[in-house]
Amino acid sequence: MSRFHRRWFVLLAVLLAFLPVILDMTILHIAVPSLSLALGASATEILWIIDIYPLMMAGLLVPMGSLADRVGHRRMLLTGLMVFGGASLAAAFAPTALLLIGARALLAVGAAMIMPCVLALIRQTFEDDRERGVALGLWSTFAAAGGAMGPLVGGALLEHFWWGSVFLLNVPVMLGVWSFAFAVLPRRVSGGLGSWNIGQALVLIVGLITVVYAIKAAFKADNAPLLTGLCFLVGVFLLAWFARKQVCSRSPMLDLSLFTRPAIAAGMVMAIVVSGALAGAELTIAQELQFVVGLSPLQAGMFILPLMIASGVGGPFAGSIAAAIGLRPVAVVSLLVAAASLAGLGLSDFQSGHWSIVALLALLGFVLGIGLTASSIAIMDSAPASKAGAAGALEGTGYELGAGLGITVFGVLLAASYQSAIEVPQELVERMGPAPFASIGETIAAAALAGEEGAALIQSANAAFVSAHATVLLSAAGTIALVAAVVMAALRTVPSARRDRLAS
């Protein structure tokens, strides 16, 4: 095999390894109704099943990248593929929600081993600037396509198979990719450099999970306030200790000193809020389309597809638009249009006016894609060249953290709004207790046991979810509009400098 052709086979191998990792970011959003009914999972358990993946990755991406520098990217990628495949098999046949959460956590470990190696191997393999640009462009396309394909692939599988099929699919894919990668990836001697900050990563993960647990537990019907408050304080303490460690340590996991630059701070806020809005809106809408509108998983995946496709299309436009009019107006306008789109979706009737909703979804995805790219431009353009790697690690962590927190905030607000809106006859509450009415999935399961009152209970659940969906999306719209004001202030010195530089 010629050296030229080998380069492109290496690219194909790392892209194929990367695709399932991205698919698993969004593939479960469409499976929430199936999981709720099949496993009898509560609303809190469903959120953990989805949330544990990005939260674990947020803490592990940087230390796994450092470990890969020590042991070699080929070895780390192949090991990550094995971990990911084994975790997928465990997830597919998990008999309980708790075991599925554990399997998803292990999936995140495998994914965090794979992701840093993908870009590293591309950069090591392609020495020519033009070829490297093509390779990175293909990587970006795969990232966008994977996010877009997640709901569609999940819907297609659930149309014909049980919920575990969305994980079982990974097993033969990983076996094939592992064999191909083993054959074509170059064997290089590792540099053995860099520190491995796994201890700091574990503190970050435990702090995040403890805070998220406290937030979710606070809205449960059987909440223990003392335990919840204690968990929240412990989580905040761990996160504060982690932040202090980053500032004082000679080898921090994340270089938080970059936050002293207003444009980087604004870019991180945008990254977290935009990725969180994208994940949370998709999760909320996927549930309404199936539970309330009555679409099948495949139909719901097709319905949501414009949101994900448009988010991939919008990104490439951000750079050229920013060059023409400046970064600040691009960032602010994209956020304001996203807020208006979310408000429109919040006020829409999903059982009618489908075309207007599809248009709003496409518009939302397009401007959020621009917003994500604008956040990247703000971060990378403002970071000194000597800290470009640290800025990139900070940005990647922000995306994963945003997705995890977005699912948490949207999910908790959705559950709280639903519980306050649903009207249940008192005799049913006395007979079944309050737990079955904490989420629409649990209510539909309870309706099957309610006898003649079941139909009325489902109708009440649908009405409550529509009301909750409006509350959630309108709240998100208000939050993003507020972020737009913050970004407008933070980026006030950026537009002219960037426009002048790009024009030269």
Side-chain angles (χ1 to χ4, degrees):
M1 184 189 300
S2 70
R3 188 169 180 270
F4 174 82
H5 288 100
R6 188 176 186 87
R7 291 200 298 274
W8 298 103
F9 276 114
V10 169
L11 177 63
L12 179 60
V14 297
L15 291 181
L16 290 175
F18 178 59
L19 187 58
V21 174
I22 294 300
L23 277 173
D24 267 50
M25 295 282 191
T26 58
I27 198 170
L28 269 196
H29 293 180
I30 210 72
V32 166
S34 300
L35 284 172
S36 299
L37 300 177
L39 294 179
S42 68
T44 301
E45 288 171 333
I46 286 293
L47 289 181
W48 275 118
I49 289 169
I50 298 172
D51 227 358
I52 196 69
Y53 187 77
L55 288 177
M56 288 283 289
M57 285 182 66
L60 288 175
L61 280 175
V62 175
M64 286 301 183
S66 299
L67 182 60
D69 291 337
R70 285 171 161 240
V71 305
H73 298 102
R74 179 181 186 272
R75 181 185 299 177
M76 178 66 90
L77 181 69
L78 293 174
T79 304
L81 288 171
M82 288 191 291
V83 172
F84 197 91
S88 296
L89 186 63
F93 295 102
T96 66
L98 185 61
L99 289 176
L100 181 54
I101 292 169
R104 285 278 287 173
L106 188 58
L107 271 171
V109 174
M113 297 172 77
I114 293 169
M115 284 189 68
C117 299
V118 172
L119 282 174
L121 284 165
I122 290 175
R123 287 169 180 166
Q124 290 171 1
T125 303
F126 292 89
E127 298 176 0
D128 179 76
D129 289 344
R130 186 185 63 81
E131 286 189 352
R132 189 188 305 122
V134 172
L136 290 173
L138 289 172
W139 168 80
S140 178
T141 301
F142 258 65
M149 287 170 58
L152 188 60
V153 172
L157 289 170
L158 293 172
E159 191 84 0
H160 304 287
F161 306 104
W162 96 113
W163 63 266
S165 62
V166 300
F167 297 109
L168 194 60
L169 177 69
N170 289 335
V171 178
V173 171
M174 284 299 173
L175 287 174
V177 172
W178 190 94
S179 301
F180 183 55
F182 182 84
V184 304
L185 291 183
R187 291 171 172 82
R188 290 189 174 91
V189 178
S190 60
L193 301 174
S195 59
W196 193 39
N197 297 314
I198 190 62
Q200 296 179 27
L202 291 177
V203 171
L204 173 61
I205 291 170
V206 174
L208 284 173
I209 290 177
T210 306
V211 169
V212 168
Y213 169 81
I215 293 172
K216 292 175 180 178
F219 290 88
K220 292 177 65 176
D222 55 351
N223 169 46
L226 183 61
L227 178 61
T228 300
L230 181 62
C231 284
F232 183 78
L233 290 176
V234 169
V236 170
F237 171 79
L238 289 174
L239 292 177
W241 185 89
F242 172 81
R244 183 178 182 276
K245 191 73 174 175
Q246 304 317 294
V247 174
C248 300
S249 175
R250 292 184 177 179
S251 56
M253 176 181 145
L254 296 174
D255 188 354
L256 298 186
S257 66
L258 291 168
F259 277 109
T260 59
R261 298 171 180 259
I264 292 180
M268 281 298 294
V269 170
M270 286 182 65
I272 291 171
V273 172
V274 171
S275 57
L278 193 58
E282 183 183 341
L283 182 63
T284 302
I285 292 168
Q287 291 184 72
E288 175 151 2
L289 291 173
Q290 293 177 77
F291 279 133
V292 179
V293 181
L295 299 185
S296 69
L298 179 58
Q299 290 170 329
M302 292 290 291
F303 199 100
I304 294 174
L305 196 58
L307 172 68
M308 302 308 296
I309 290 177
S311 68
V313 171
F317 284 95
S320 57
I321 298 173
I325 65 173
L327 178 60
R328 187 190 190 202
V330 169
V332 172
V333 171
S334 67
L335 289 172
L336 290 176
V337 175
S341 301
L342 281 168
L345 289 168
L347 298 173
S348 296
D349 180 1
F350 275 59
Q351 300 192 64
S352 62
H354 285 182
W355 288 111
S356 62
I357 294 171
V358 169
L360 285 171
L361 285 172
L363 180 61
L364 176 64
F366 185 76
V367 295
L368 286 181
I370 291 176
L372 283 174
T373 305
S375 71
S376 181
I377 293 171
I379 293 168
M380 300 310 295
D381 274 16
S382 301
S386 61
K387 294 188 176 183
L394 195 65
E395 181 184 0
T397 302
Y399 289 148
E400 299 303 326
L401 185 60
L405 293 179
I407 291 167
T408 296
V409 172
F410 272 69
V412 166
L413 183 56
L414 184 68
S417 301
Y418 175 84
Q419 291 169 36
S420 65
I422 189 169
E423 298 179 359
V424 184
Q426 186 60 35
E427 57 269 20
L428 274 182
V429 177
E430 293 173 355
R431 191 197 322 165
M432 299 182 171
F437 311 109
S439 71
I440 189 170
E442 292 167 287
T443 305
I444 288 176
L449 307 174
E452 296 178 354
E453 298 167 300
L457 186 57
I458 290 177
Q459 186 175 2
S460 178
N462 289 345
F465 195 90
V466 170
S467 173
H469 136 265
T471 300
V472 168
L473 295 184
L474 289 173
S475 298
T479 301
I480 290 182
L482 182 61
V483 170
V486 172
V487 169
M488 179 182 289
L491 297 183
R492 62 185 180 277
T493 61
V494 172
S496 59
R498 176 168 175 79
R499 187 166 54 244
D500 293 342
R501 186 167 63 253
L502 289 172
S504 62

